[in-house]
Amino acid sequence: MGVQPKRRARRACWQEHVIAKGRFLENQRRLLSARDSLNDAEVKQLIEAAVEKHLNAAHQAAGETPDGGPRRRRPLDRLVNTWTGAQVEAAYLNLHAAEVVLANLYTEEEVQARVPDMLARLRACVPPTDQRRIDAEAEFGGHDGTGRDGLGGQLGDGAGGPPGAGALVRRRAKLRDAMQVSYDASDQLHARVRSFRNVLIATALLVTALVIAVGVVGALWPRAIPLCFKPSAAVASQQPATAEEEESFACPSSTGKSVPHGGDVAVVVLMGLLGGALSATLSVQRLSGTSTPYAVPVILSFLKVPAGALTAVIGLMLVHGQFVPGLSNLDTQGQILAYAVVLGIAQQLVTRFVDRQAQDVLGSVPSKESRPRGGAARAPATTTAGLDTTAPRTP
């Protein structure tokens, strides 16, 4: 029998942060303590070992076994990790740490090639008043990518000469620090998206539970949630009402000689669900997708469906209680059902604020189309190998 791979223990998100940061700091400690006693080849070996350690951790967090196959996880483990986002965090934290460690091996040309990506991420994630962003832009944001004044002599051993070893080490350290700041800020924004996603899931589950509770109460005690109306003709009549008129009601489930019964609330809930589903379908055109691993737009659509059912029940109760002038009496079953559908669509008046917050949260996450954070003006031009990286971006 083959040896079964050990199941990865479930960890909280903060634990993954500590573990990834601990690996990174351990590598830094080894490099700093052995910097003066090792030659370049031995230092490279330390760096390569650290990168390999981070990459292995990232592959494991992404569900890959050491031989490259998929790692099977129990449904409970998948559910817990989907909620906490621990494995997603671990994968990206270790990938980012590996990239930062690799900066120790960059040549000057490779440093120059990574500058535009680092600056774009920094400007998308860090406010323009942050001193770390100011320092990075001062170091790498020159018009030709060589520094504050765009002078090659600033990096070289002589005026206009190629960068010396000391200058290259300094550039690597500056790039490494700026990359780490930008990645940390980006990871925090993704954590914010995950937290918002969890709030949406919890809200959707709570609203669904309330809808189910209302349906159960309406089925067991039909008179507890009054949704039947006396026809307006019977109410307006000056003559004494006949026994038949006294018993005549317009209810969600029937019209005529009927009294409230257990199916009334269920029918209103169903109509509200239809209205919420229709509203979710129409709102899709206003929602943009997301490159994050958290399906916020999908959960927003799911939230609108039970919200429609809840607003339909509450809205008809307000109409029944004469809270809305002029809508005190609905004459037929069709009118009640139509109002239930309209009230289900009207949940958009409440959930539109959630939609707006979702767009703000998703818009703060850096992407290839991100603008500088804080509405800053266009950054100074930065070129790499003749490529202008300040071309205007679409919003």
Side-chain angles (χ1 to χ4, degrees), residues 351-361:
T351 56
R352 65 175 181 175
F353 298 105
V354 183
D355 295 340
R356 189 177 305 167
Q357 180 65 21
Q359 291 293 349
D360 292 340
V361 171

Side-chain angles (χ1 to χ4, degrees), residues 269-284 300-309 311 340-341 343-348:
V269 166
L270 178 59
M271 295 299 104
L273 290 174
L274 293 177
L278 178 60
S279 176
T281 303
L282 296 176
S283 64
V284 167
L300 276 174
S301 298
F302 277 111
L303 174 61
K304 295 178 185 295
V305 178
T311 55
V341 174
L343 290 169
I345 297 175
Q347 54 78 34
Q348 183 64 30

Side-chain angles (χ1 to χ4, degrees), residues 123-183:
R123 288 164 178 161
C125 302
V126 180
T129 56
D130 192 290
Q131 187 61 44
R132 297 168 300 178
R133 171 175 166 177
I134 295 173
D135 292 343
E137 289 180 331
E139 176 68 28
F140 298 104
H143 289 286
D144 63 352
T146 57
R148 289 182 179 85
D149 303 319
L151 299 177
Q154 183 184 12
L155 302 176
D157 297 328
L168 179 57
V169 170
R170 181 182 65 83
R171 291 272 284 178
R172 287 172 176 169
K174 291 284 188 179
L175 178 64
R176 186 175 63 244
D177 292 343
M179 289 175 61
Q180 187 170 1
V181 169
S182 65
Y183 278 133

Side-chain angles (χ1 to χ4, degrees), residues 17 78 100 124 220 241 305 311:
H17 275 262
R78 292 198 298 268
V100 173
L220 297 178
V305 178
T311 55

